Amino acid sequence: AEAPFQMVSSPATLTASAVVSGAWTTDSGPRWSAFLKSVVEQGYVPAGPPMEVWSGTDGKPATQSTEMRIAVTKSPT
């Protein structure tokens, strides 16, 4: 890599993700609540900040989807 960019290595991280098809929304709270509940029910806990990746075409809800991602670790209990 050349300046102003740099190469950075980070340790491998276990990540939970889910893709939700449909229109992007400004209130993703209910989606995140359901997703995180599922993560915990499967024996994991969040271990980093959440991230959303939106795909599709602006103004065309039929093409839109949201991928939710969060680093996780096995629950200690």
Side-chain angles (χ1 to χ4, degrees):
E2 295 180 24
F5 302 102
Q6 65 181 7
M7 297 287 291
V8 176
S9 295
S10 55
T13 304
L14 185 60
T15 305
S17 68
V19 176
V20 179
S21 296
W24 306 319
T25 64
T26 56
D27 180 15
S28 59
R31 290 179 176 176
W32 275 102
S33 293
F35 175 53
L36 293 173
K37 180 180 177 192
S38 173
V39 166
V40 170
E41 288 173 347
Q42 294 179 57
Y44 295 88
V45 292
M51 178 177 168
E52 286 188 2
V53 178
W54 300 339
S55 298
T57 304
D58 195 23
K60 295 186 179 180
T63 70
Q64 297 174 349
S65 65
T66 303
E67 180 180 1
M68 300 178 295
R69 299 178 190 163
I70 193 162
V72 296
T73 188
K74 206 60 166 144
S75 178
T77 58

